[in-house]
Structure formats: structure tokens, C-alpha cells
Amino acid sequence: MECTGALLDYRRKRLSLYDGAVVVPLVTSIDAARAIRTVRPTRIPGRHEAIIPVKTPRLPANILGITETLPDTAERGLTVASALIDGTLCRIMNPTPRSVSWPAGYASAYLSPLPTDDVGVNLINVNDCFANDCAGENRSDDKRGSRDRGIPSHEERLSELHRLGVKTGLDCLNQAQAEKLSSILYQARDIMATSVTQVPEARVSRHIIPLIDTKPSIQKRFRYDPVKEQKLENLCDELLTAGIIKESNSLWNSPVFLVTKPDGSSRFLVDFRTVNAKTQPLYCALPNLDDIFHQISEEKPTIFSVLDMRAGYYGIGLDEASQPYTAFSTKNRHFQFTRLNMGYVNSGSFFTQSLYKIFAAEVRKHLIIYVDDCFIMHRDVDEHLNFLAKIFAKFRDYNLRLHPTTV
């Protein structure tokens, strides 16, 4: 015990060894009988939730159990979903930025008994609620079936997609494939952002600005006429509401360019040249055009899909300590970015690295990524549609957003 530096913590129910390098949860005889344990080694990434297989204790016939988090699990910032146990799966959330690894047999939760014959406990079979409604109905009609599941008909799906600006080419698809594509795109509306304010922070690592000189850079702001000043204030209000910028007390300040786009709308770019001069550049190679053409000629695809991310840089978070370096001013206010932004020297490199990590299994085979554009190609249509659904699922998992008018 002395050589391992063992420390028993009865309040937190754990045993620490080697100055806290190894922590083992302690359970009482009652806890051990009710403990829920992992079946195999499990890793839960930071800011993720997982449904994992577990071994649950046996309870008497008239008693069910509700999953509860063990103190040691809660101490580490993790939460086990409180649910009526109905099998061998358990849902666990890890809101911390660190990954957590558990060995096989690790006790992360326990069963809180719920006697079914107690007063006030009335369990029902949900399937029985729909038995009468479903009896005698004819489910052979595909359109009727999709409406019953809450999905509108193929024509209604296309109408909604066209309203969002989604462009679909159905000429090379048969009817079944066209309906499958419209269903995939319709169900992917939650990952389409019609404006910058709908772009959340992605579930990827935040960027740390690698400064080589920490002396604050303070530059005078550019002056504009009253109309442009008001446009700049309105744009800042939108980004402030979206959480992309926040008010700042930073000593740093970079000037702002107000740019008018071809459609008449405006956007602003921050002149980060002095910040960039103090920043160590990161390197990330973009695909060479010759390599892309060679890959396409080898694949000989018959179907393509092009995806464009909505304000991709704004989806990548900045580390809290790096945010003051991005500060800028309007006439009346001082802000700093909470996300990556145009004009910063490492935005493109870090953004591309993040996408390559997310789509490591798909890139370079059927997926080509060029900054914030994704190009998907296949010879087989059905394989392409399944692959597209898989890509959309990853967008959803990592909180990425697409531009609907360029899908």
C-alpha cells in the first residue's frame, strides 16, 4: 500500500494509486449487486455521447431498475442517462473536452430498483397504444407509408428542397432512386443553414493561435460614412447574436474592411496583417488539381454531388485564450471573435485539417475536399446515395452546416 501511495476516499467511493495516476471506483456490497459494468474496453471522446453495451445485474421478477450515475463517474464530469433499463445498452454523455477510457468490467452506474407493484407505478406497453389505430390499415402504398412516418410525399419533398434552394439533378435516376435522394436531402434539412447566424460551433478541437510575439498590436480603425457605419453595426449585431463574436476588453485591435458583394449585400473582413506577422504559420497541403483530375479519370464516375459548407470558418471554435488577439472595433463597440475568421493566416490550414480528421475514412476515395467544398463521386448510383447519407450523418454528428443553394 505504501509503495503505491494508495489513498482511500470513502466519500467519493474511490481508491487512488501512484498520486492519482490510477483511480479505481469503490463499491459497497449493495452497490456491487446493482452495478452496471462495461462489457469491453470503452473510449468516449470529449463532448460526445455514446451508447455502449453493458452488463446489468439481475433483479427480482416484479422489480425493474432505473440507471443512475455512480459518484465517481459524476466526479469525472460524465453523466449516465437515467432510463428504465430494457436490455444491455447504456447511454453516457461526456461533456468535458477530454476523452475518457474505461476497461472491461468498469462500474460506471448502478440500478435503482423500481417495484412494479408499488402504489403509483403504472407501466404500459406503448405498442398497445397504436394497436387499434394500425389494425385494418393498408400499408402497401409507399406514399401513404411515408406520410404515416411523418415524411411527406416525393413531390412535397422536392417542393420544400427547391424552396430552400437545393439543386437536384434527377435525370440519371430511376423513380426509386429519385425518391430515395429526395428523402435523404429532405431529412438533412437540419444540417442546412440559410444564414450565417444558423452556423453553430462544430464538435472539433478549438484552434489555438500560435503567437511568436505576444506584444499587443493596436491599429486605428477605418472610418466610413454613416450608412456604412450602420451596416457594420448591423452585421456585428448578427454575429453577436450567433455567438461568433462577443464584446471584448482586449488591448489588441485590427481595422475592418466593409465589402459590398455582387448581390448588393455587405460583409466585413478584418485586416489581420499585423496579427499574422506575429503568428507561426501552419501547413496543410490542399489537393493538387492534376491529382484531382487523375483521380476522377481513374474512378470514371457516373454520378456526382457537390457540397459547400456554410461559412465554414465560423463553425470552428477559437481557444478562449486566443480570442483577444482577434479583437476589432466599430465606431461605438469593441469585439473579439470566438470562431475562426477570414483574414487570419491559419484559418484555411486548421479548417482543412479538421475536415480531414472528420472524413479520414472517406477522403481521397470517393470524397475530395478543397477548403470548404466537398466533391463526391461514384460509378454506382445506389452506392452514391448511401455514401451521401453517411456524409450527412457525419455532418450531423460533428455539428457542421451546409449551404442549401450549393448542395
Side-chain angles (χ1 to χ4, degrees), residues 310-332:
R310 182 80 189 198
Y313 290 176
Y314 284 166
I316 307 297
L318 271 176
D319 184 74
E320 193 79 26
S322 297
Q323 294 174 11
Y325 310 145
T326 65
F328 65 94
S329 294
T330 65
K331 184 177 181 180
N332 302 315

Side-chain angles (χ1 to χ4, degrees), residues 1-59:
M1 295 284 284
E2 292 182 0
C3 64
T4 60
L7 177 63
L8 289 170
D9 189 339
Y10 291 105
R11 185 177 65 86
R12 296 177 179 176
K13 292 186 177 181
R14 65 184 185 183
L15 169 66
S16 299
L17 303 173
Y18 303 106
D19 293 330
V22 177
V23 178
V24 181
L26 299 176
V27 292
T28 65
S29 58
I30 297 177
D31 292 333
R34 300 176 184 172
I36 298 174
R37 300 179 182 275
T38 54
V39 174
R40 56 174 178 262
T42 301
R43 179 179 177 273
I44 306 174
R47 298 192 179 96
H48 280 70
E49 61 180 5
I51 298 177
I52 64 172
V54 294
K55 183 179 180 181
T56 58
R58 292 184 178 181
L59 294 174

Side-chain angles (χ1 to χ4, degrees), residues 156-170:
E156 293 170 329
R157 295 196 297 264
L158 287 179
S159 176
E160 175 63 15
L161 292 172
H162 291 160
R163 186 190 68 80
L164 292 172
V166 178
K167 301 178 180 67
T168 55
L170 306 178

Side-chain angles (χ1 to χ4, degrees), residues 169-179 181-182 303 381-382 385:
L170 306 178
D171 298 339
C172 63
L173 309 181
N174 59 37
Q175 185 63 24
Q177 292 168 340
E179 292 191 8
L181 175 60
S182 70
I303 182 171
V381 173
D382 293 320
L385 297 179

